[in-house]
Amino acid sequence: MMITDVREAYRRALDDFGTLVHRIAPEQWHNRTPCVDWDVRDLVEHVVGENLWAPELLGGRTAAEVGDDFDGDLLGDDPLKAFDTSATAAVQAAYEEGALTRLARLSFGDVPGGEYVTELFADVLIHTWDLARAIGADERLDPELVEACAAWFAGAEAGYRQAGVIGEQQPISSGTDAQIRLLASWGRRG
């Protein structure tokens, strides 16, 4: 089954990421992740930051207007609460009337809200794998989400690679499953 509503894909990806956040043991917050220079805390803080930006940008504010509102420590003393609160607000913003058709004014230009939510979905899906790898959890991603992300990313990969926001395409062998192909396209060694 193909997911046709990106908001649902985004919600499910955030739910999966959140499940892992709640499994992070106290001693795992400084584990290295597949993301260069990020430990588990940095990775979770990145996703929380993206979540905090979503309601602002989907609500019509520009990246310049938001400015440095979300600089600094976003996790504080309760990273689980920070994640949960930010994820709930981000998903609610994606479901607001007009959110997918209104322009999201990002730092690199304006995109339709639906494209922005798709980018958020893809980012959190890939980071779900990163977090699972870092904390030794099951790395298998939801196959429907992998399929939805791969379908979108086929047309976006060149732009992402040119912008330098993903790693180099990793080699894969024939017969490789969809998740490993997707991760390889994002520069991950599954």
Side-chain angles (χ1 to χ4, degrees), residues 9-166:
Y10 181 42
R11 181 198 61 75
R12 286 171 54 183
L14 278 171
D15 286 350
D16 291 347
F17 188 86
T19 296
L20 293 176
V21 168
H22 282 268
R23 291 187 53 202
I24 300 169
E27 68 275 7
Q28 292 179 317
W29 284 96
H30 295 292
N31 286 6
R32 302 305 312 157
T33 72
C35 303
V36 177
D37 299 328
W38 281 359
D39 66 11
V40 167
R41 186 175 176 91
D42 296 327
L43 176 63
V44 173
E45 185 158 47
H46 164 74
V47 173
V48 167
E50 293 292 329
N51 291 347
L52 293 172
W53 276 86
E56 302 298 328
L57 297 176
L58 290 171
R61 289 185 75 194
T62 67
E65 289 169 342
V66 177
D68 61 2
D69 287 0
F70 303 120
D71 286 358
D73 181 9
L74 302 176
L75 301 182
D77 294 335
D78 193 346
L80 304 183
K81 182 177 179 183
F83 173 79
D84 291 345
T85 302
S86 71
T88 298
V91 170
Q92 286 175 344
Y95 276 94
E96 289 291 323
E97 186 173 336
L100 298 184
T101 55
R102 184 180 307 118
L103 284 181
R105 300 183 187 309
L106 309 179
S107 59
F108 58 84
D110 298 349
V111 299
E115 177 64 20
Y116 175 52
V117 172
T118 303
E119 293 170 6
L120 292 171
F121 150 64
D123 187 61
V124 76
L125 178 69
I126 299 303
H127 287 322
T128 298
W129 181 85
D130 294 332
L131 182 55
R133 166 105 358 144
I135 66 171
D138 182 0
E139 297 175 10
R140 180 58 46 195
L141 299 172
D142 180 324
E144 290 179 353
L145 297 182
V146 167
E147 180 184 1
C149 185
W152 166 78
F153 197 60
E157 182 177 356
Y160 269 59
R161 188 151 284 110
Q162 185 177 19
V165 296
I166 59 172

